[in-house]
Amino acid sequence: MTKAPDMTHHARPTGPAGADAAQECASAAGAGDGMDAGGTSPWMGEGRTMQEQLSRTTQGAVAGCAGAAWHALDPMATAARLVVDPARGLAVAEAGARLARHGENRLASIPPRSKWLAFADQFKSLLILVLIGAAMLAGAVGDVKDAVVILLVVVINALLGFWQEHRAEATLAALKKMLAPVARVRRGGRIEEIAAAQLVPGDLVLLEAGDRVPADGRVLAAHNAEVAEAALTGESHAVAKVAEAVVTADAPLAERYNMAYMNTVVTCGRLELLVTATGMATEMGRLADMLEAAEPGPTPLQFQIDALGKRLALIAGVVIGAIFLLGLLRELPLFEIVLTSIALAVAAIPEGLPAVVTVTLALGMHRMAQSRAIVKKLAAVETLGCTTVICSDKTGTLTMNQMTARTVYFHGRRFTVSGEGYTGDGAIATEDGGALPDLAPLLRAAALANDSRIRDGQLIGDPTEGALLALAAKGGFDAEALVQGQPRIAEIPFDSAHKFMASFHHDGERVRMFVKGAPDVLLARADRYLDATAEAPLDAAARAAFEAENASLAGQAMRVLAVAARDIPAREFDPAGDLMVWAQELTLTGLVGIIDPPRPEARDAIRLCKKAGIQVKMITGDHAITAAAIARELGLEGEVLTGAELDALPAAELSARIENTAVFARVAPEHKVKIVQVLKGRSHVVAMTGDGVNDAPALKQADIGVAMGITGTEVTKEAATMILTDDNFATIVHSVKEGRAIYDNIVKFVRFQLSTNMGAIQTVLGASLLGWAAPFTAIQILWINIIMDGPPAMSLGVEPARAGIMLDSPRAPGQRILTGPRFARLFVYGLAMAVGTLGLFHYAQPQGETYALTLAFTTFVLFQFFNVFNARAEHGTAFNRAFFRNRWLWLSLVSVLALQALVVHWAPAQAVFRTTDLALADWGLAFAVASSVLVLDEARKLAAGLWRWRSNTSHAGNAVDHQHRP
């Protein structure tokens, strides 16, 4: 069984195809193109010249050819507009002239961007520029180690980004590879094979099952032909083509049954196609234009890292100014002032941030891949975390993409069918609570009038027939066994003209005929039906009951098939005769309602999206009724808009209505792009799913383009930033959770590193203000930097997602990492570190400078041990269920303590770091003081929690008082 595709494409009254036709009309040279000497065309009718035919077929049409909508013209008029005789095809000379005029049948290409320029793009981030400046300053004052480390981090980060983005830009190359290499054409009265690139408007192409359509064209002849248009429209069902059909000029692509388009595939039958457009003038060419025009913008994380870079540059500038001014006031040597200012400014820059961001995103990418989501761009991993709208395709993503019988109408009763897919798992149950009758007459016919088969749960054949086979299996019938017991001796194949299929089977002295097809067609061919006892005349009441049930099931977005049968005496049946004579006086058995059911996990995922503040919008080429029915089952609430309504809406009204619209039906590729643009214009972060070539421009336009790994075309996968290997909507939602966790972890690292930076700056600045000696040596500061940027910081990148992360509302894309309140808290952490470190530094002075330096140095390192727990939990207590879950964090903390003990107590290290042994009591004192930063933050969180509880209690009390107030 076939149907029109879901994904539609609106007609363009004017456009490249029409322009091509205008050129052909303007340049026509009388009867030159494929005509005989007298200008007579056998195909057009004897004794009729091309000019006469042109006059006859274009009367009343729009003047000129530029506005031609080829699907709105009959075959004769199309040929006349293109000045060609389909019986002979174009003359070879004329084909060459048109090729020179129109160019080759190829998609246009632009020169690829230089790899060096692409690599240079990786250095545009302000934070990267600040880091390069810091490296130059460090080198200028002789700190070669820091300069080399910073530059190495920058270069590695740039190489990683370049490699990831270079791989993602193969979209157009994949699109061009899909073009058919050769085509069979009729030229000058002969059939020949030419390169598809040589096709021109007016060529007559001959196509058979398995051929890829090489250009857009009008169907002139179709012999039981069906075309799979999934690559262009996203619809999985083949579309029957009818040469005689003439549709309105504004008909969507799905309803142009008389056209075939480049890159679609003929699945059965034969076609004669008159080329109307080639190369960039085709629908595929138009999509290529849209794909090149879709420029992905920077991700939210890239925005925020740039904003953080600006703030850190400002902080560094303030530090330099403050230290420089204080040095001048204290009349210190100018060189010493400059050296100290630059050293602290370099310390203020978190040079490990790009590396940690890259590593965190890469680890997230790996975890997502294990969860069946392959992310191609590092930055896109985090972008998922702030997604506010998911625009999802229906078929295969929100639904099973496995047609399933849900309802059966038999003996005047309705039965429900459980189970999904083609496995045969499930059962048939009565809806009215009565006894289950013998369904054999219906199920046997459904299994035998069937060309498909199910092997190991996998369908081989048509999805609708697969649903019937699974239905028969649920009723206890094995299709394979039935076929062996009643072998088929003849058949009437399905055809779009008669809209049914029939099979004939030997059964003793009779031949049993089983028929399935459109209900209205079989009702017209039936004169009896099967009631609860026996066959009965199909009177007006019975006919009305079948029609009402058909309308009811169709209203629930089901595809309805009727099943009928007839017994023929074996002696009267001739398998080689006219089988259509038996397609009368049928006995109508029943109706079957079939639908592509929603994925069970999709309902739960949509419910989770609602809790997370994420809108889900279904975008489909299917009919509005079908889409709305599936949306209701999934729990999607809101308006339904069609592609035609989108075109009619002014931009301002569409922007206002889009928030409350849950379903977009009968949409074309440009509608998807428009929807994404409008949502982004309303400051949404948009994830868009797709599987067909037609989806590629919208996927590239979206913040996150999600391609289907199973059903998706190669072009879509290349255009997307994420590929689902299971085509499952729930996987997208899981990826959103992972993205939120990744952003959380990046923020944890920033909070940890910046609070340490602030602590170091305030400690040195405080000592300078107090007129004390520096509490750290240069090598000690370097060691603190290693600890700060090393294992503990990195281990924050693998923190598990905190509880309730999907209950948060999506963060705003422009939200800063370093907000005002967060900066204030980090400043307080730094101040606590400075006060504690300087306090112990001053306390230990009587015991010698080396002892004081060692105690201050160790205390500051231990401050980081406790501060990392502050970074793990910004608002809730750090002592939660996840306290021991990150084994890498604990391993790194134990390693830091061991290394610090080594630096303090190992003689060779003492010489390098200028340290001395500390007593156990000194370690205890350092631990006690360092823990104050954690105690302080826990006290803040407790106070904030009590304040919120008191506020909520007060509001609840006020609400109760208001309810009881007379």
Side-chain angles (χ1 to χ4, degrees), residues 626-924:
T626 305
I630 296 294
R632 283 194 298 272
E633 284 200 57
L634 289 167
L636 292 176
E637 300 169 355
E639 288 186 64
V640 179
L641 284 179
T642 65
E645 290 169 334
L646 279 175
D647 287 332
L649 282 177
E653 188 176 348
L654 175 59
S655 179
R657 291 180 62 179
I658 202 165
E659 296 286 348
N660 297 319
T661 302
V663 178
F664 297 91
R666 302 302 271 176
V667 295
E670 62 267 29
H671 292 137
K672 291 189 173 188
V673 174
K674 186 176 184 179
I675 290 165
V676 172
Q677 289 173 339
V678 171
L679 287 169
K680 290 177 75 172
R682 294 181 64 87
S683 300
H684 282 292
V685 177
V686 184
M688 168 70 78
T689 73
D691 54 7
V693 174
N694 64 324
D695 297 321
L699 261 59
K700 199 165 184 182
Q701 184 76 46
D703 296 290
I704 291 287
V706 183
M708 304 297 109
I710 299 173
T711 59
T713 61
E714 196 62 31
V715 175
T716 315
K717 293 175 188 176
E718 290 293 347
T721 46
M722 185 170 82
I723 301 168
L724 303 183
T725 59
D726 60 356
D727 290 12
N728 195 335
F729 179 82
T731 304
I732 305 174
V733 180
H734 176 80
S735 300
V736 169
K737 180 180 178 180
E738 188 67 49
R740 289 188 174 192
I742 286 167
Y743 180 79
D744 246 18
N745 291 346
I746 290 171
V747 170
K748 288 172 186 177
F749 169 80
V750 169
R751 292 171 56 235
F752 174 64
Q753 194 174 49
L754 290 186
S755 58
T756 303
N757 282 355
M758 289 183 182
I761 290 170
Q762 290 181 64
T763 301
V764 174
L765 189 61
S768 181
L769 286 170
L770 293 170
W772 297 353
F776 310 128
T777 65
I779 193 69
Q780 288 174 352
I781 292 176
L782 179 61
W783 177 252
I784 291 168
N785 271 331
I786 290 172
I787 288 176
M788 178 179 65
D789 294 337
M794 291 289 185
S795 64
L796 288 173
V798 294
E799 279 280 295
R802 59 181 168 80
I805 196 169
M806 287 299 283
L807 299 179
D808 296 345
S809 297
R811 74 177 192 280
Q815 180 180 316
R816 294 172 173 173
I817 291 178
L818 195 58
T819 60
R822 183 170 288 156
F823 180 83
R825 286 194 294 273
L826 298 185
F827 182 85
V828 171
Y829 297 160
L831 187 61
M833 294 178 204
V835 170
T837 302
L838 290 174
L840 287 187
F841 180 64
H842 183 69
Y843 160 80
Q845 284 294 330
Q847 300 182 52
E849 185 182 359
T850 304
Y851 174 78
L853 281 171
T854 304
L855 186 59
F857 171 44
T858 301
T859 302
F860 195 84
V861 169
L862 293 178
F863 263 120
Q864 309 324 307
F865 180 93
F866 290 101
N867 187 43
V868 77
F869 297 110
N870 289 341
R872 289 182 82 190
E874 185 170 17
H875 299 294
T877 177
F879 302 100
N880 51 42
R881 292 181 180 179
F883 189 70
F884 294 106
R885 279 178 63 187
N886 188 346
R887 66 180 184 274
W888 300 110
L889 176 64
W890 285 102
L891 182 63
S892 65
L893 289 177
V894 169
S895 300
V896 164
L897 287 178
L899 289 171
Q900 184 64 22
L902 193 71
V903 164
V904 170
H905 296 287
W906 189 40
Q910 288 177 338
V912 174
F913 287 91
R914 200 179 163 191
T915 56
T916 188
D917 292 325
L918 293 177
L920 192 61
D922 296 329
W923 278 96

Side-chain angles (χ1 to χ4, degrees), residues 298-336:
T299 68
L301 182 62
Q302 288 167 335
F303 271 124
Q304 291 166 32
I305 293 295
D306 273 357
L308 180 62
K310 291 175 184 176
R311 286 204 160 197
L312 294 178
L314 179 64
I315 290 170
V318 170
V319 167
I320 289 175
I323 295 293
F324 195 82
L325 183 61
L326 285 171
L328 290 177
L329 291 174
R330 293 178 59 196
E331 298 182 350
L332 295 174
L334 185 60
F335 178 76
E336 184 181 335

Side-chain angles (χ1 to χ4, degrees), residues 261-304:
Y261 294 96
M262 176 191 281
N263 225 30
T264 57
V265 178
V266 181
T267 57
C268 67
R270 293 180 291 110
L271 280 175
E272 292 186 23
L273 189 73
L274 182 59
V275 174
T276 56
T278 59
M280 294 302 289
T282 63
E283 295 295 334
M284 287 294 290
R286 195 161 145 280
L287 286 171
D289 265 340
M290 293 169 66
L291 196 56
E292 286 188 353
E295 288 293 335
T299 68
L301 182 62
Q302 288 167 335
F303 271 124
Q304 291 166 32

Side-chain angles (χ1 to χ4, degrees), residues 486 504-505 507 509-514 535 564-570 572-573 582 584-587:
Q486 291 181 294
F504 299 84
H505 305 261
D507 186 14
E509 295 298 316
R510 62 181 176 173
V511 172
R512 306 212 65 186
M513 177 185 183
F514 299 112
E535 291 185 8
R566 179 178 179 178
D567 288 345
I568 307 166
E572 298 178 17
F573 184 75
W582 302 109
Q584 306 293 334
E585 301 175 1
L586 302 176
T587 298

Side-chain angles (χ1 to χ4, degrees), residues 5-10 233 252-255 621 665-669 671 694:
D6 282 352
M7 307 308 290
T8 62
H9 197 301
H10 281 278
T233 67
L253 190 65
E255 295 168 12
R666 302 302 271 176
V667 295
H671 292 137
N694 64 324

